[in-house]
Amino acid sequence: VLVRWVGMIDKALDCGAYICAICAAPLLIGKHGYFKDLEYTCFPGCNESILEGKLSDKPVVVTDNFITARSMYYTCDFALAIVSIVKGNERAIEIAKQIKGL
């Protein structure tokens, strides 16, 4: 099953897709070397098995085709980063304003 999962990530990246992971999920990606030479973030302590990459203390990190978030506390920021990539920064700003009730 793990080989299929890693193969799916490879295929997605080959197609230019983004891989999004929040909280402990970046561990599953990073322990297979996908963060080599890249910045990422994850829940504190979950980086111990990540082979390569630079751990950031930022709540959300977008680098190459990866979007990672530190914890569920940053779910809105994580979602807005995804919207910004998929629909553009202007749309993400509109949604952020709606969330904040502005």
Side-chain angles (χ1 to χ4, degrees):
V1 175
L2 185 57
V3 172
R4 289 185 199 154
W5 182 81
V6 171
M8 289 178 8
I9 290 176
D10 289 335
K11 286 181 183 179
L13 292 172
D14 287 345
C15 293
Y18 279 82
I19 306 297
C20 306
I22 189 170
C23 201
L27 165 68
L28 300 173
I29 297 165
K31 74 179 188 176
H32 293 286
Y34 286 102
F35 294 141
K36 181 179 181 181
D37 301 323
L38 300 177
E39 185 179 18
Y40 70 92
T41 192
C42 65
F43 192 79
C46 289
N47 61 306
E48 294 172 4
S49 297
I50 294 177
L51 302 175
E52 302 173 275
K54 182 182 177 198
L55 177 64
S56 172
D57 62 352
K58 296 176 191 171
V60 177
V61 173
V62 179
T63 183
D64 282 2
N65 285 57
F66 294 97
I67 302 172
T68 56
R70 191 171 189 64
S71 69
M72 298 308 277
Y73 180 82
Y74 299 105
T75 301
C76 285
D77 298 317
F78 181 61
L80 290 169
I82 295 168
V83 170
S84 181
I85 295 295
V86 176
K87 294 290 186 178
N89 197 44
E90 288 181 24
R91 184 65 179 130
I93 291 169
E94 290 173 17
I95 292 171
K97 287 179 180 178
Q98 291 172 354
I99 291 171
K100 294 177 182 177
L102 299 175

